[in-house]
Amino acid sequence: MINTDITSQKSRDFLAWISCFLTVLFLAAPSLHAHELWLEPLDLHIDAGEPVQANIIIGERLLGNTQIYMPVTTEKLLALTKDGQMNWTPRVGSRPAIDIVPEQTGHVVLVYQSSENFVKYRTLEKFLKFATKKGAENIAEQHRERALPLADFSEIYRRYAKASLFIGDHTDEVNDSNVGMEVEFVITSASKVENGSQRLQVRLLYQGQALGNAMITLFSRDATGKVEKTIDKTSPDGTITVTAEAGYFYLLDHVVIRATDPATNKKEAPWESLWASLSFSG
């Protein structure tokens, strides 16, 4: 007699493994490297006692593909709440990847950090196009001075994503903090203003220090799905202020591109990009 419970479990585990394998291939695709990664809650208005669910999404202009949870591509997954840091480990293949029920109401920040990954550039032109789009300066000059290859070279990349939301009524108490990621946004204040909008002050950190005069891309999406993109810069002390209108979803994006020693990594990559994102709503 076959134990159907065990058989079903094995089938689910096998399907999860297949999904993970396909997603690894999907994440490694060069065409996806230049896309943003963000955390997007399934529900922007959460009552006390309800679950906080959010997807990991890779895409462009706030339109993308939902990722399943995979330990091999995840280095950090946690939430910052009034009670402190909340860690959890989803089941392999979970979608949404984030599904928790914090005990307290108030401000919650979801945090995701990817593992190291690589992308290969067939031409220098494509890499320079990406670097210019993300505001990196003097990359072409540095590439030449380092006598690096003009084609067929790799780049390391990592993603660092946060999402801000409230359980219950909005409060001015902010529970965000520096969680030790290489580059990250930290919300320092979030207050309600006229017309139900939310004004956030955010500081961009790189290696724990404020990153001033850094290029920031801000995407906004209204209830109809229309997306707008604006470019801004942090102040000299690394801060930026955003007014989030009610009914809109937002994404802040910044990328650090830095030189690395090819002899220290398995793909002999001479460059590394570190992606920071912060999503929130009005």
Side-chain angles (χ1 to χ4, degrees), residues 126-171:
K126 190 171 183 179
F127 173 68
L128 295 181
K129 182 178 179 181
F130 154 67
T132 300
K133 179 181 178 182
K134 294 303 180 181
E137 299 178 355
N138 304 319
I139 292 294
E141 181 180 349
Q142 292 179 50
H143 200 92
R144 183 177 63 254
E145 289 176 349
R146 295 173 64 196
L148 296 173
L150 301 181
D152 295 325
F153 60 91
S154 295
E155 175 206 338
I156 306 168
Y157 67 93
R158 291 178 183 268
R159 317 269 195 172
Y160 307 90
K162 285 184 171 182
S164 171
L165 53 91
F166 288 85
I167 298 176
D169 295 333
H170 186 287
T171 69

Side-chain angles (χ1 to χ4, degrees), residues 55 84 114 133 155 240 254 260 263 271:
N55 282 314
S114 78
K133 179 181 178 182
E155 175 206 338
I240 185 170
H254 175 75
T260 187
W271 295 103

